[in-house]
Structures are given as C-alpha cells and as structure tokens.
Amino acid sequence: MKNGFPASSCRSSGKISAGRKKLQTQSLILFISTMAIFGTIGVFRRSIPLPSSVLAFVRGLLGSLVLLIFVLIRKRIGKGNAGNADFQISRSNFIKLIVSGIVMGFNWILLFEAYSYTTVAIATLCYYMEPTILILVSPVIFQEKLTPKKLLCATVAILGMVFVSGAFEGGSAAGSDLKGILLGLGAAALYATVVIINNTITGVDAYRKTMIQLASAAAIMIPYILLTEDLSQLVFSRAAVLMLLLVGIVHTGMAYAMYFGSMEGLKVQTIALFSYIDPIVALILSAWILKEPLSIYGIAGAVLIIGAAVFSELDWKPGQNP
C-alpha cells in the first residue's frame, strides 16, 4: 500500500500547499487594504463639519448594522457557528462588551477631537502609544513580567513621544497642538482599556463581539449628544452625509469585517507587523493631502514610536519567518 500512492499523495500535497499559499496571499491583500482604510479616517474626519460625538454615533450605528448583516449572511451560507448558540452570550461577557463599547465610543471622541486640534500625523502617533501603555500597566493588570525588551520598547516610544511634542525643537507644543496631543494620548489610554477588557472576554465570536461593542458605543452617544450639543445648530449637508456614510459603512462595518476575515490565513507576527500600515498611511496622507508639516524631529519620533511598537509585538525566533 505504501508504494501504491506516491504520485497521488504528491499531487494532493501540492494542491494543499498551493491552496494555502493562495489563502495567505488573499488574506494579506485583504489585511493590507483594511489597514489602509483605517489610515484614511483622519483625512475623512477633517472633511466632516460635525461634532465628534455625532461622528462616533453614526460610526457605531452603521458599523454595527453592517456587521449584523454580515453575521446573518455568514450564518445563512453556513460559515458562522451553527444553531441558536450564535447569539447566546453569558451575562458577564455581555456586560463587559457593553462597558468596552461605551469606552470605545469615548475613545473615538477623543481621537476625532485630537484631529481637530493638531495634525493628523501627530494625533495618530499619540494614539499609537497604546502598546506602550499596555506594556507599562501589564505587570499590574495581567501580572506579566516587565522584561528588559518591553521596558526598552516603552522607553524608546516615550522618547519618540517627546520628539513629536516638539520638546527638542527649542520649546514645547503650542496651545492647540498640546491639547491635541493630550487628547490623542487620552484616546490611546481608552483604547488600551478596551483591549484589557477584551482580554477577559472568552467564547464570543469576534464579529459578534465587535457588533455589540459598536452598538453600545452608538447607544451611549445618544444621551451624550443630547446633553452636550444644540441639535438645532447641526447642519447636515450632502457632502457631510456622504462622508458620514463612508466612515460608518466603509471605515467601520466593512473594515472590521475585512479585518476579521483576513485573520484565518495570516500568522500573528504578520498581523502585528502589517498593522502599522495604518499610521504610516495616516502620516503620508497628512503630508500629501492635508499639507501638514512634520519636522525632522517629528519624523524621528514617528520612527521611534512605530518601531518600538512593532518590536514589542514581534517575538521572532531564529529561522522563523514573519
């Protein structure tokens, strides 16, 4: 029997290898496209003359609806989990999802406000201090050891943040820039909080988890908008409505669906590495489309922050490909 199947076995193995390679290529293209989409959100926010809370509400509402439709389609074609267990979530997990969704909503508000007070590049770099925040709090929250590598990465990222702030340019950031930096760092802290809560949630499909979080973010924005905004002063032009639809449908619902859909064919290290296409795209568009300046110190800070984040997330071993 052993000598009766060599040719057949070789052909079968080749097909599996080719199929796997095709899946990896498709997943990588999908993932890179998703990161590029995320990287453009700062430019789109600048084109929407509406409060950040309204943008956060629309993003959460439309994003959750798109994911709901996507989940239902997956279930219908047999790609989702079978049975009524699809939407069965424990009370504990459900509460955590709602809380993390609320935090996510305010995280968006701070980030969108940061775009308004400083450049898209600086706001984005501040937001990408989130991995550094997680490194610093992990010994307390997760009882993880603060290794020399993680400590080095945190130190390098903080140094990069000092470069971005303008401290090495003979002063500190101007009033509006400083406010934008603080808002960006606040957004990073809230995003780190979402990540921490998510790490305590188990047994929930990624699509459904994000759908509930987005819906919660939209829900909390309703009373917030009613308390903080004069609705009679809001003007919804055709251009603003179009941009809102794009941010809600494309940048949120479709982007998250693409993001989770690309996970199957990629290694964790590949995901970690290519995730930083997002801030790189944001920096390029900030300079190219918005004509926002980024000094040599800002560029150095960008390299330090993004480089430290990438290095902290990768755990390469000798002979291992990313």
Side-chain angles (χ1 to χ4, degrees):
M1 294 298 293
K2 184 176 180 180
N3 293 328
F5 297 95
S8 176
S9 297
C10 287
R11 285 196 297 269
S12 175
S13 176
K15 288 181 179 179
I16 292 173
S17 178
R20 180 64 182 173
K21 186 174 182 180
K22 182 178 180 181
L23 175 61
Q24 289 177 340
T25 302
Q26 291 175 341
S27 296
L28 185 58
I29 292 173
L30 190 62
F31 187 78
I32 290 174
S33 300
T34 304
M35 291 300 104
I37 290 173
F38 283 143
T40 66
I41 196 168
V43 175
F44 277 82
R45 197 280 170 264
R46 287 290 185 84
S47 304
I48 301 175
L50 290 168
S52 296
S53 54
V54 174
L55 179 55
F57 167 72
V58 173
R59 190 180 187 196
L61 177 63
L62 294 181
S64 61
L65 290 176
V66 170
L67 281 182
L68 174 60
I69 294 171
F70 184 78
V71 167
L72 293 175
I73 292 174
R74 275 171 56 87
K75 181 180 179 182
R76 187 175 183 85
I77 64 178
K79 288 191 175 182
N81 295 327
N84 294 327
D86 278 358
F87 290 95
Q88 289 181 356
I89 300 174
S90 69
R91 181 179 179 181
S92 173
N93 280 340
F94 191 70
I95 292 174
K96 291 176 182 177
L97 287 171
I98 291 177
V99 171
S100 61
I102 291 171
V103 175
M104 182 185 291
F106 287 104
N107 153 56
W108 287 344
I109 288 180
L110 293 188
L111 178 61
F112 296 154
E113 284 296 293
Y115 290 141
S116 300
Y117 285 98
T118 188
T119 67
V120 168
I122 290 177
T124 301
L125 290 172
C126 293
Y127 193 52
Y128 270 82
M129 288 294 289
E130 174 263 337
T132 302
I133 294 173
L134 285 177
I135 287 174
L136 295 176
V137 303
S138 61
V140 177
I141 303 296
F142 301 119
Q143 284 74 53
E144 292 182 358
K145 183 179 179 181
L146 188 60
T147 64
K149 172 187 172 182
K150 290 182 178 180
L151 185 59
L152 174 63
C153 290
T155 303
V156 170
I158 292 171
L159 178 62
M161 194 66 253
V162 175
F163 272 97
V164 170
S165 71
F168 289 140
E169 298 179 61
S172 58
S176 61
D177 276 334
L178 179 59
K179 187 170 184 179
I181 289 171
L182 294 176
L183 287 166
L185 292 174
L190 290 183
Y191 184 54
T193 302
V194 173
V195 173
I196 291 170
I197 297 174
N198 278 347
N199 281 339
T200 68
I201 301 172
T202 58
V204 183
D205 177 78
Y207 295 100
R208 294 167 184 80
K209 178 191 293 185
T210 307
M211 181 177 64
I212 294 171
Q213 289 174 322
L214 293 177
S216 301
I220 196 61
M221 287 301 109
I222 295 175
Y224 182 82
I225 291 171
L226 292 175
L227 289 172
T228 61
E229 301 296 338
D230 182 355
L231 299 182
S232 63
Q233 298 298 313
L234 299 181
V235 178
F236 292 87
S237 64
R238 287 185 179 181
V241 170
L242 177 60
M243 291 295 180
L244 282 173
L245 290 174
L246 284 172
V247 169
I249 296 173
V250 178
H251 287 82
T252 311
M254 290 178 60
Y256 277 120
M258 292 167 61
Y259 177 82
F260 296 126
S262 65
M263 297 293 101
E264 182 181 353
L266 298 178
K267 296 179 181 179
V268 173
Q269 291 175 347
T270 302
I271 293 170
L273 180 62
F274 283 92
S275 291
Y276 293 91
I277 289 175
D278 174 354
I280 292 172
V281 168
L283 265 64
I284 292 172
L285 294 182
S286 173
W288 180 35
I289 295 180
L290 300 178
K291 309 300 181 184
E292 295 175 338
L294 188 63
S295 68
I296 187 66
Y297 289 99
I299 294 173
V303 172
L304 291 175
I305 292 172
I306 297 175
V310 171
F311 186 67
S312 69
E313 291 190 21
L314 298 182
D315 188 24
W316 282 322
K317 297 177 182 179
Q320 186 178 38
N321 293 324

